[in-house]
């Protein structure tokens, strides 16, 4: 298993010929049949700002196969299904949180903002099993 450092600059922005972290595209590959539903993901990678700014596919990379290897690695390492899905959901949260950057509108002072659309925040809270209070 390989460990990667998630750099904020690479997570939040890519040049036109760059690709974001492969694990996001692996989640979208349909290798794990119920994964998108459990992670509250659509079928369109372009619905997710953080991962669709640059390239979304690379001819030499098979996202479905990579997801198969990752899923099998979790099994080999003794992860329970709940542990695996929690990891996938946490990763999907980054995709939903990227969309939240467009949900904020400034209010009053420069440091203040309100959410104009709570859909992405509600998805993140659900995936992280957080209680939402309003």
């Amino acid at each position: 298993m390989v460990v990667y450092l998630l750099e904020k600059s690479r997570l939040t922005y890519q040049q036109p010929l760059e690709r974001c972290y492969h694990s996001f595209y692996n989640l979208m590959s349909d290798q794990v049949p119920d994964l998108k539903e459990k992670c509250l993901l659509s079928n369109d990678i372009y619905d997710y700002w953080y991962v669709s700014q640059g390239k979304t596919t690379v001819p030499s990379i098979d996202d479905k196969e990579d997801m198969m290897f990752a899923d099998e690695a979790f099994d080999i390492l003794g992860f329970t299904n709940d542990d695996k899905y929690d990891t996938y959901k946490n990763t999907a949260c980054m995709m939903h949180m990227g969309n939240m950057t467009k949900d904020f509108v400034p209010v009053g002072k420069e440091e203040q903002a309100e959410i104009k659309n709570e859909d992405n925040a509600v998805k993140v809270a659900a995936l992280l099993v957080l209680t939402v209070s309003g």
Side-chain angles (χ1 to χ4, degrees), residues 14 37 41 61-62 75 79 84 89 94 103 108-109 112 130-131:
Q14 300 88 49
E37 181 183 349
L41 295 169
I61 298 173
D62 183 341
D75 293 336
F79 280 62
K84 282 197 311 188
K89 288 176 183 179
M94 296 301 109
D103 293 341
K109 295 182 180 180
Q112 298 174 340
L130 300 174
T131 303

Side-chain angles (χ1 to χ4, degrees), residues 118-133:
E118 294 183 351
D119 292 350
N120 290 302
V122 169
K123 287 177 185 177
V124 170
L127 291 171
L128 296 175
V129 195
L130 300 174
T131 303
V132 178
S133 62

Side-chain angles (χ1 to χ4, degrees), residues 31-98:
Q31 174 61 36
V32 179
D34 61 347
L35 185 59
K36 284 189 207 169
E37 181 183 349
K38 287 186 177 184
C39 291
L40 308 177
L41 295 169
S42 73
N43 288 318
D44 188 354
I45 191 74
Y46 293 101
D47 286 341
Y48 305 98
W49 171 243
Y50 275 177
V51 300
S52 63
Q53 297 171 67
K55 291 183 107 21
T56 58
T57 59
V58 175
S60 62
I61 298 173
D62 183 341
D63 294 316
K64 198 167 188 169
E65 180 182 59
D66 286 352
M67 185 64 193
M68 178 188 69
F69 291 144
D71 198 60
E72 288 175 358
F74 281 126
D75 293 336
I76 291 167
L77 292 170
F79 280 62
T80 66
N81 269 342
D82 285 344
D83 291 340
K84 282 197 311 188
Y85 278 100
D86 286 347
T87 303
Y88 298 147
K89 288 176 183 179
N90 193 11
T91 303
C93 280
M94 296 301 109
M95 297 169 75
H96 293 296
M97 289 172 80

Side-chain angles (χ1 to χ4, degrees), residues 22 52 98 114:
H22 299 296
S52 63
E114 287 181 355

Side-chain angles (χ1 to χ4, degrees), residues 9-10 12-20 52-55:
S9 61
R10 182 152 176 231
T12 60
Y13 176 77
Q14 300 88 49
Q15 295 290 331
L17 296 178
E18 287 183 319
R19 195 173 192 222
C20 199
S52 63
Q53 297 171 67
K55 291 183 107 21

